[in-house]
Structures are given as structure tokens and as C-alpha cells.
Amino acid sequence: MHLQNQNNWLTISAKLFVVCFLLLVSIIAQAQQPDINGFRKKLQTATTQTEKWQALNQLNRYYLTTGKMDSCIFTSQQMLTIAQQLKSDTLIANTYNAMANAFLVKGDFNFALEFYFKALELNKTRARFLNTNIGGLYVRIGNYDEALKYLRKSQASYTADSTTLISRSYKTWTFMYLSYAFNGLHQGDSALYYGQLALENNKKNSDGFVYPAILFNVALAHQELGDHDLAEAYYKKAIIFSDSTHNPIILSLATNNYSKLLMSQGNYTSAKNIAKQGFEAAIKSNLKAGIVDGAEMLRKIYNHLNKKDSAYYYAEMQFAYKDSIASQQKINEIQNMTFAKQLKDNEEQIKADQAKEEREQNIQYGLIAITLITFLILFFLLSRSIAVNARMIEFLGVLALLIVFEFVNLLLHPFFGKITHHSPVLMLLAMVSIAALLVPAHHYVEKWVTHKLVEKNNAVRLAAAKRTIEKLEGNISATRP
């Protein structure tokens, strides 16, 4: 029975987490006054990559809040390409956050966590928001200890001056998810404490979107503590407000849980009426998960009322929608795998392009270095007035050899990698073969340059000696009587 209750709680927290997250994104999007035509116009008229990324980000958030997931994923891919081209960790992190949001709404929580962690690693300034999302996801999968760790971090980062709309909203979510986690741990006192904090914070914010979700959570906490009267009161409030704000997910959750409470008290008629209210709202909104839960609840109620035909009708509906949900989940899994593969290919291509660009730059640097050293050696060799030590030429020759070897390595590495399939042994043999050709050539050139340098130095010294002798002879002649 305890395991069944825990599974029921995981199902509730999963659904509630998604709806809360969508509500949060909706609040942020509304604060920015979304205008789809304006965003598209900004994208078309963008003159820089940064402006283009910003326009895509606004489009991405709009598609997320309106449930257009294909467009959301497509824009996030474009955002990542631009962010990686700009080599901006901040933009890359924000793009990862957008991708995590998309996977979260699609129900792929593993991918969502992966991208949240990537974003957190790159952008510490958004840690409070990301920690809230990560903590909420751990609540979803039932890892409450890990959830509390991230939620506590987020809670500690908020202060009395956290007055912006986004900060206030995330502060509310943090309290709410803390309440969920303690409900999952069956610690009703702590769950109620944070639920009341969420209510108080939401009251100050005048945020009507999340109010039904918080009421539902407080009802769960009271039910956990065994205070059924207060639980019933908060369930009723949650139902009224979710109905007035057209929130079918919370309405479905609240009516189902309230119906269970009424059934446990033997009040099957009231339980049936409440369950039907949530079921009809789910039907109207085509909320498949709500339809399944409502049909299951009504099946149980009609079985208790000994109305087998009605129980059978709702059982058939429950199984039909379960199959539909399972089929949709398989489609989502395939789509998510395709997206992940495309993303990986895109990242690998960008890394390859960056490596190619870096290699080309290094080749240019190598050519510049070789040119400078060659010019310096030729200058010393051809100069008719400078006598250069042979050791200096030897040092420059060794330096030139190393630079030439590195230059040839950079130039031929892609070719050797292709024909050897990047085998370490074969690559080593190729480099040794290059060195075997360069070293004898270096010795030959060095010997020739040294010989020419000695001849030039001797000529310079001889010319200097002649000038000195001529000068001395001129001085002697000048002193004779």
C-alpha cells in the first residue's frame, strides 16, 4: 500500500511539475508581451548574429508557451548554431536552457536534466533559476534528497530584494517544489510550511496563474497530516480557481484527489460528481492524462455503486486513452532521439570547423615564422659588413627545423588521419618518416650555410683588416717630414 501511495504521488508530482513549469514560462512570456509578428520581423531585419539569436530566442519562447514543439526545437537548433559560431558561453548556456525546457514539456526528463546541467556549467549567473528547475525535475523522478539539495541552493540565493517578476516567480516555485519534495518524503509539517510560504509569496506577487497549483499542494500536505477537513477546503479552492482560470490539468488533479478523499469517507455520490467535473474538463481540453485518471476514478466509483455498465464504459475509455498515450510517448521518444542525433552532429560539425579554422591559422603562423627565420639567415649570410657567430646560425637552423616540422605536420595531418583512420601507430610512423627526410636535409643546408658564412666572415674580416692597414699607412705617411 505504501509503494502504491508513493507511485501515486510520483504521478501527481510529475503532472503538477509540468503544469507549473508551463505556467511559469507563460508568466515570463506575458511579461515580455509576446508578439509573433514582431519577433518574425526582428528576425528578418536582424543585422548581426546576436540580434538574430535574440529574435530566435523570443520566437522559441513563444512556441514553447503555445505548445508548438516542432517549431520550438527547430528554433533552438538555430540558436545553438549561432551561439557556437559567436563562441559565447552565455548564449550557449541560454540555448541549452531553452532546449531543456523543450524536452521538459515533451516529457523527456533525462534530456532536460542533461541540458540544464550543461547550462548551469556555462552560466553561473542563472544558477538560482536553473537550480529550481533541476530540483523540480528530481522531485518528478522521486529523488527527493537530490531535489532538496538543488532547491536549498536556489532558496539561499533569494533575498528580500528579489523583486523582479522572474525572481519572484521562481521564488514561489522554489517554495512550492520544496513542499512537493517533503510531501513525497511524507513529512507533512515541512510540506505544509513551504506550501504556506508559497501561498504568502504568491499573494504578495498577485500571481493568479499558480494559485490553484499551490492550493492543490497545500491540500496534499493537509491530507498527509490527516487533517481531512482542511484538505477538503483547499481541494475545493483549487477546483474553483483552476476552473475559473481554465486550467484543466490542476482541475483534473484536484478533482481526482478530492474524489479519492470522499471515497475513503464513503461519500460515493459526491465523489462521482466531483470526478465527473474533472473528467468533463479533460475531455473538453483533450487532456489525455486527465481523461485516463478521470475514467479510472469513475470506474472505481461505479463499481462501488454496483453500476457495472457504467464501470465497463469508463474502463474501456481508460484503456483506449492509455494506448493512445503510450503510442504518443513512443513517437516522442523517436523524435527526441532524432533531435539528439541532429544536435550531436551539429556540435561535431562546429567542432570540426573550429579545428579546421584553428589549423589554418596555425599554418599561417608557421609560414610567417619560417619566412622571418629564413629572411634573418639570408640577411646574415648576404650582409657584407656583419660577421655572425656560427653558433647563432646553428641555433636559428634548429629553430627553423622545428617550425618546418610542425608546419608540415599541420599541413599533412588531415591527409594522414584520413588514410590511417587516425591510428596512433601509423600516424607515428608517418611523422617519423617526415622527420627522417627533414633532418638530413637540415644537416645539408646547415653545413652549406655554415660554409658560406665562414667564407663571408673571412671576407668581412679581410676587408676590415685591409681598411685598418690602409688607415695606419695613411697615418704614417702623414707624420713623415
Side-chain angles (χ1 to χ4, degrees):
M1 180 63 69
H2 175 73
L3 181 60
Q4 183 178 2
N5 291 336
Q6 186 176 15
N7 290 335
N8 290 338
W9 167 245
L10 285 175
T11 302
I12 293 171
S13 64
K15 296 173 183 175
L16 202 51
F17 175 79
V18 174
V19 70
C20 289
F21 177 82
L22 285 173
L23 288 172
L24 174 60
V25 177
S26 298
I27 292 168
I28 297 170
Q30 287 195 3
Q32 295 178 344
Q33 298 180 347
D35 177 11
I36 183 65
N37 293 326
F39 296 157
R40 288 172 176 167
K41 185 176 181 180
K42 285 182 180 180
L43 181 61
Q44 293 172 354
T45 59
T47 57
T48 66
Q49 290 289 76
T50 302
E51 291 178 355
K52 187 176 181 181
W53 185 93
Q54 292 171 346
L56 285 168
N57 185 42
Q58 291 173 319
L59 276 171
N60 178 271
R61 192 167 293 168
Y62 171 83
Y63 291 137
L64 182 68
T65 58
T66 55
K68 299 177 180 178
M69 299 312 301
D70 291 338
S71 298
C72 182
I73 290 175
F74 178 72
T75 53
S76 65
Q77 287 177 307
Q78 292 179 304
M79 289 163 60
L80 183 61
T81 299
I82 294 173
Q84 289 175 328
Q85 289 173 350
L86 293 173
K87 299 178 182 179
S88 170
D89 287 345
T90 299
L91 294 185
I92 293 174
N94 291 341
T95 304
Y96 283 149
N97 183 63
M99 290 180 170
N101 295 342
F103 279 119
L104 171 62
V105 175
K106 291 194 72 175
D108 196 325
F109 298 101
N110 290 329
F111 275 124
L113 274 175
E114 178 182 346
F115 285 108
Y116 278 137
F117 283 136
K118 284 184 176 182
L120 185 60
E121 183 179 353
L122 288 175
N123 191 354
K124 301 298 182 182
T125 60
R126 291 181 56 86
R128 66 171 66 173
F129 309 132
L130 292 168
N131 283 331
T132 296
N133 290 339
I134 293 171
L137 269 174
Y138 276 119
V139 169
R140 153 67 182 93
I141 61 179
N143 191 341
Y144 302 117
D145 292 331
E146 197 70 13
L148 289 175
K149 183 176 74 173
Y150 284 95
L151 293 172
R152 293 290 195 193
K153 288 181 181 179
S154 182
Q155 180 187 8
S157 67
Y158 289 105
T159 58
D161 60 350
S162 300
T163 57
T164 65
L165 176 62
I166 296 177
S167 294
R168 292 199 313 265
S169 298
Y170 269 101
K171 190 175 181 180
T172 301
W173 303 125
T174 302
F175 290 144
M176 192 160 50
Y177 291 144
L178 282 166
S179 183
Y180 294 163
F182 284 115
N183 265 325
L185 292 169
H186 302 287
Q187 298 179 20
D189 290 334
S190 297
L192 183 58
Y193 170 74
Y194 284 107
Q196 290 172 337
L197 282 180
L199 275 177
E200 180 65 21
N201 192 70
N202 180 70
K203 182 178 179 181
K204 291 179 180 179
N205 297 341
S206 300
D207 187 351
F209 284 93
V210 298
Y211 190 52
I214 302 173
L215 288 172
F216 173 73
N217 185 66
V218 173
L220 288 175
H222 281 299
Q223 188 172 351
E224 178 67 30
L225 291 171
D227 194 339
H228 291 172
D229 290 338
L230 282 175
E232 184 175 347
Y234 277 101
Y235 277 136
K236 288 180 178 179
K237 286 184 178 181
I239 291 170
I240 292 172
F241 276 97
S242 58
D243 188 33
S244 64
T245 56
H246 306 288
N247 187 343
I249 298 180
I250 293 296
L251 183 59
S252 174
L253 290 171
T255 52
N256 281 331
N257 281 271
Y258 186 25
S259 296
K260 290 177 185 177
L261 180 59
L262 292 171
M263 281 184 64
S264 68
Q265 298 171 346
N267 192 349
Y268 297 112
T269 302
S270 296
K272 179 189 69 175
N273 294 333
I274 293 296
K276 276 190 174 181
Q277 181 182 357
F279 179 76
E280 289 171 0
I283 289 285
K284 185 177 180 180
S285 303
N286 195 29
L287 181 64
K288 293 181 180 179
I291 294 171
V292 170
D293 293 340
E296 181 182 8
M297 180 56 56
L298 288 168
R299 175 182 61 81
K300 292 178 180 179
I301 293 172
Y302 280 115
N303 273 329
H304 279 285
L305 294 173
N306 201 26
K307 295 183 177 180
K308 302 300 181 183
D309 291 340
S310 296
Y312 179 77
Y313 169 77
Y314 285 108
E316 287 290 312
M317 183 171 289
Q318 176 189 355
F319 293 138
Y321 275 93
K322 269 189 175 181
D323 290 340
S324 177
I325 291 174
S327 299
Q328 186 61 46
Q329 286 177 340
K330 290 180 180 179
I331 294 173
N332 288 341
E333 288 177 0
I334 294 173
Q335 290 177 341
N336 290 342
M337 291 174 63
T338 303
F339 174 77
K341 181 63 168 60
Q342 291 173 347
L343 181 62
K344 184 177 180 180
D345 292 343
N346 185 42
E347 290 179 343
E348 289 179 352
Q349 182 60 45
I350 290 174
K351 288 180 180 178
D353 292 341
Q354 291 175 345
K356 181 180 179 181
E357 182 181 353
E358 183 179 353
R359 185 174 63 85
E360 290 176 352
Q361 289 180 347
N362 290 335
I363 288 174
Q364 293 176 13
Y365 292 145
L367 279 173
I368 293 172
I370 292 171
T371 302
L372 288 175
I373 293 176
T374 303
F375 173 78
L376 190 60
I377 292 175
L378 290 175
F379 174 77
F380 287 147
L381 189 64
L382 300 177
S383 174
R384 297 184 177 277
S385 59
I386 301 176
V388 183
N389 193 311
R391 291 184 179 179
M392 174 65 74
I393 298 298
E394 182 180 353
F395 169 76
L396 292 175
V398 172
L399 186 62
L401 173 65
L402 294 175
I403 294 175
V404 169
F405 179 79
E406 183 63 23
F407 172 77
V408 174
N409 181 24
L410 288 170
L411 198 62
L412 298 180
H413 185 84
F415 173 73
F416 286 141
K418 185 177 181 179
I419 64 175
T420 63
H421 302 288
H422 295 281
S423 170
V425 175
L426 295 178
M427 291 288 287
L428 177 63
L429 289 175
M431 294 300 102
V432 170
S433 301
I434 293 174
L437 296 174
L438 288 178
V439 171
H442 164 260
H443 285 311
Y444 175 80
V445 173
E446 182 183 23
K447 184 177 179 181
W448 178 82
V449 170
T450 303
H451 175 72
K452 292 295 183 180
L453 184 65
V454 170
E455 291 183 350
K456 189 212 70 166
N457 286 344
N458 290 336
V460 170
R461 293 190 180 97
L462 181 60
K466 287 182 178 180
R467 287 195 297 271
T468 302
I469 293 173
E470 290 176 354
K471 186 177 180 180
L472 289 174
E473 289 179 347
N475 291 337
I476 294 173
S477 300
T479 56
R480 288 178 180 176

